[in-house]
Amino acid sequence: MAKERRRAVLELLQRPGNTRCADCGAPDPDWASYTLGVFICLSCSGIHRNIPQVSKVKSIRLDAWEEAQVEFMASHGNDAARDKYESKVPPFYYRPTSSDCQLLREQWIRAKYERQEFTHPDKQEPYSAGYREGFLWKRGRDNGQFLSRKFVLTEREGSLKYFNRNDAKEPKAIMKIEHLNATFQPAKIGHPHGLQVTYLKDNSTRNIFVYHEDGKEIVDWFNALRAARFHYLQVAFPGASDADLVPKLSRNYLKEGYMEKTGPKQTEGFRKRWFTMDDRRLMYFKDPLDAFARGEVFIGSKESGYTVLDGLPPSTQGHHWPHGITIVTPERRFLLACETEMEQRAWVEAFRKVVDRPMLPQEYAVEAHFKHKP
């Protein structure tokens, strides 16, 4: 009997909607919440275990199943749960995937099942009201210390501001929603709730690093920033559909890591730098947590004369890591070196994805600005 019940649960996995984790979309889920009626992956099952008042989990293959539990799973399933618990997810709300950090996946699961934010839209006010203020720990640009700073997001003014003192009349910085991006970077920042916010200052990228001890708070900030971007883009592109706008709300970096580089004359020694590929901007920093990049390189499309080559020219001087990459732009060549072949392959793949993508009209204006930089 036990084997038959287990086989019956396994058969349910073949139903449409049940072939992927209900929460992160990972393929071939092998766990289930028998109180919510959803099939989930091992990673998400660990998060469900932390909300036992809402969700109780079992391994599909290893645990014993009772007849009533099998029947409950059969009468529910992932599609039914999605209809119930995700019926009112705002278009701007970030839906995490299996590759996202633990915090985003945990708060998505808690928002859905524990707080039921997407069945009761009044619970969405923290990120959909168009205004948000509060305190975040912000990393000091010069000394690296995290200090509590007041942040104010206002859609009406199209900006995120922060203040160095509680009673300060003037903000220390005003970040325009138009050019703002936010991405979770727990490993880089050294905190599981670490968020990197970037904006353009004099057309150069400026980084700030923040966190909040409360996971819900920082994810609410993240989604409030996405909501502000969404509403800004709706006005900027009145004919665009939600599906067109949502990918533009925030972006994760295509690739980050250490490489070595040499200067424009290619006679200077190679220096180790932290590189970030953000859309078409390749930035390099002395330290991963620097506020400003040491330099930025625009990477256009192959139609515009950009190519990526394996290796370095035979005439390359100086001691450097063994696995080279040459980026050819209409103006010059950039010589880079990776420590391992695996890293080199990953960087070349990231660069080629960018080069193979045709340029958008607005990207030509960005390219022109790079060409006129001193």
Side-chain angles (χ1 to χ4, degrees), residues 67-273:
E67 193 62 45
Q69 292 168 347
V70 177
E71 286 170 10
F72 183 81
M73 295 304 296
S75 62
H76 290 75
N78 291 3
D79 283 349
R82 203 167 287 120
D83 291 343
K84 178 179 178 180
Y85 293 106
E86 298 180 27
S87 62
K88 294 183 172 69
V89 181
F92 59 78
Y93 195 97
Y94 188 79
R95 294 168 176 261
T97 67
S98 55
S99 60
D100 279 303
C101 64
Q102 169 87 2
L103 171 72
L104 277 169
R105 288 183 294 111
E106 180 188 351
Q107 289 305 318
W108 167 241
I109 288 167
R110 287 184 180 275
K112 271 204 291 187
Y113 307 119
E114 184 183 40
R115 301 192 290 267
Q116 298 200 3
E117 288 175 20
F118 312 126
T119 47
H120 303 288
D122 53 307
K123 295 183 176 181
Q124 298 171 12
E125 196 193 0
Y127 44 82
S128 60
Y131 180 88
R132 184 176 172 88
E133 68 171 71
F135 288 87
L136 296 172
W137 292 98
K138 178 192 166 291
R139 187 179 189 272
R141 191 176 96 184
D142 301 320
N143 60 11
Q145 275 188 308
F146 280 88
L147 297 168
S148 180
R149 293 287 180 254
K150 181 183 173 185
F151 281 77
V152 176
L153 170 67
T154 161
E155 281 189 19
R156 196 168 45 82
E157 294 174 20
S159 68
L160 173 68
K161 306 173 193 172
Y162 78 88
F163 298 80
N164 265 359
R165 293 196 323 277
N166 297 354
D167 58 351
K169 296 276 188 287
E170 293 301 314
K172 176 74 174 141
I174 300 173
M175 299 162 248
K176 286 285 172 202
I177 294 298
E178 179 185 357
H179 301 300
L180 190 130
N181 184 43
T183 175
F184 279 98
Q185 294 276 12
K188 187 158 87 173
I189 293 169
H191 192 284
H193 304 164
L195 185 70
Q196 179 173 350
V197 178
T198 60
Y199 62 102
L200 287 183
K201 187 175 180 181
D202 306 324
N203 212 58
S204 288
T205 305
R206 164 82 158 97
N207 297 319
I208 64 167
F209 302 95
V210 296
Y211 71 85
H212 194 288
E213 285 99 342
D214 186 302
K216 179 184 184 299
E217 278 289 307
I218 197 71
V219 173
D220 283 351
W221 270 105
F222 176 63
N223 281 303
L225 291 171
R226 284 175 57 88
R229 293 261 312 145
F230 182 63
H231 298 137
Y232 161 77
L233 290 168
Q234 280 182 315
V235 174
F237 304 99
S241 67
D242 289 359
D244 291 332
L245 299 181
V246 166
K248 297 180 171 69
L249 302 186
S250 62
R251 58 192 183 273
N252 294 328
Y253 300 133
L254 300 178
K255 173 111 182 83
E256 284 196 293
Y258 283 108
M259 288 191 284
E260 292 182 331
K261 68 170 286 292
T262 184
K265 296 195 181 90
Q266 294 164 10
T267 52
E268 304 99 300
F270 277 77
R271 289 199 174 94
K272 182 178 165 184
R273 294 287 180 255

